[in-house]
Amino acid sequence: MLRKFDIIMTHPLLIFIVVWLMSVLLYSLRIAWFMPDDVYLLYKLFFVSTFYFAIGFYPFQFIKKKSDIENYIPSRIIMSDRLRLLTLTFSGVIVAILLFNLKYYGYPPLFSLFHLATFNYMEYGNFKGLLFPMLSILFLISIFEKKRYLNAAMKGFSLLIFILYMTRGFLISTLIQYFFLLLILKKINFKKALLISIAGFILILTTMSFIGEIRTGNENFKEMMEIRNEYRHLNSGILWTIGYVSFPFANLISIIKNSNELFMGSIIFNNSIPAFLQHNSYLNYYTGLLPNKANTVSTYLGLLYLDFGIIGLICINYLLGLIGGIFHASHIKHVYHIPFAIYLSILTLLFFYDFLFYFPFLVETILAVVSIKFIQKVVYT
């Protein structure tokens, strides 16, 4: 029962379909005035995206059946001394970045509550493309730490910094990755997974409400995002959560309907490199396509459509399916469990942004591979 349960919950195609359907359903509520009334287009995108995802995914499932490769599931041995050396190294680098930012930028954005922060969450700090991925990996590798106080310290430290820097995105993605990692490593049963899911949903609602209130303010958010009158009575955490999922699709619809220029890969390349090298020359054109200028993301498809048109949509869905097929059909997911969890979080957050080619996620994936090779010994039985 547990085996079937964890396989279903980490099945890439199933996650892909569920996230798409949830996104279309929430978009159909149209909680804001600026959201185009074109759910039909989203259904067409859903079917096209699922078709090409499946084309990339399924060939590896047939190879799996022929080779029966699942009989060669490896055993993992975590070397505790190396785990603690890695933890110490990551912690040292993280603290150095925190002290640097404290010196040159002052108090982190959360201190705006006390009118002590000078910069907002977007302006504050350097080296965030390294800081946030390292915090995520530190949180994830805590799963292997057997000493409870160290385990709790690794998790608490990472969460505290995410909150101080008011980064909802990385906080949520890290929690999602940890949940998938528990499933991949078979650390939880169905009952625990259900409880964690409920607790996680409540935590996300609370976090969205808390950080959203600090960043924007509840009433400012409703005005800025043009929330419809029939939804204004809802809790701000619920509105933030629905908006987080559905607003990017408004931008995607607008981009598909109104864009007439291709950037031929320059946008995706730009987002795949460190911030200090990025040119952002496309931003004026991109911003001009948005129905609400305060809503700036356009799902995992928007920027790829600007780069390559319909070919970009086909290729990204095929590539996501291909990666998922390789992971799902082989023992790789048992060895590179953290990169697999990162990949599943990319699928879970496809409604928001293209994290597959997002520099911090690329850094996190590289750090995950290096970390696993350093702390883990694999024995094939």
Side-chain angles (χ1 to χ4, degrees), residues 23-39 42 225-228 231 242-251 253-254 257 291-292 295:
S23 301
V24 175
L25 176 64
L26 290 179
Y27 187 88
S28 66
L29 297 175
R30 294 185 63 232
I31 67 169
W33 289 107
F34 69 86
M35 300 169 76
D37 185 13
D38 204 339
V39 180
L42 293 186
M225 303 312 295
E226 304 172 47
I227 301 299
R228 289 172 174 265
Y231 295 108
I242 295 174
Y244 214 68
V245 175
S246 60
F247 289 165
F249 284 92
N251 289 341
I253 291 171
S254 180
K257 285 187 167 184
N292 184 305
N295 173 39

Side-chain angles (χ1 to χ4, degrees), residues 264-361:
M264 303 309 295
S266 65
I267 299 176
I268 297 305
F269 175 76
N270 187 64
N271 291 340
S272 303
I273 59 178
F276 68 90
L277 294 175
Q278 293 178 1
H279 55 78
N280 297 327
S281 58
Y282 69 94
L283 277 180
N284 287 337
Y285 180 79
Y286 174 73
T287 304
L289 296 170
L290 307 182
N292 184 305
K293 302 303 184 271
N295 173 39
T296 57
V297 289
S298 52
T299 80
Y300 75 114
L301 296 176
L303 297 182
L304 277 155
Y305 189 87
L306 282 179
D307 262 341
F308 301 111
I310 189 65
I311 299 300
L313 307 192
I314 291 172
C315 288
I316 186 61
N317 286 302
Y318 176 80
L319 180 59
L320 286 171
L322 187 69
I323 296 170
I326 293 171
F327 269 121
H328 191 70
S330 71
H331 65 262
I332 294 175
K333 65 186 176 188
H334 299 291
V335 178
Y336 293 103
H337 30 71
I338 296 180
F340 185 40
I342 294 171
Y343 162 76
L344 293 178
S345 75
I346 290 172
L347 292 186
T348 306
L349 296 170
L350 60 79
F351 59 80
F352 190 69
Y353 192 73
D354 174 25
F355 289 109
L356 186 65
F357 295 107
Y358 180 49
F359 177 73
F361 266 60

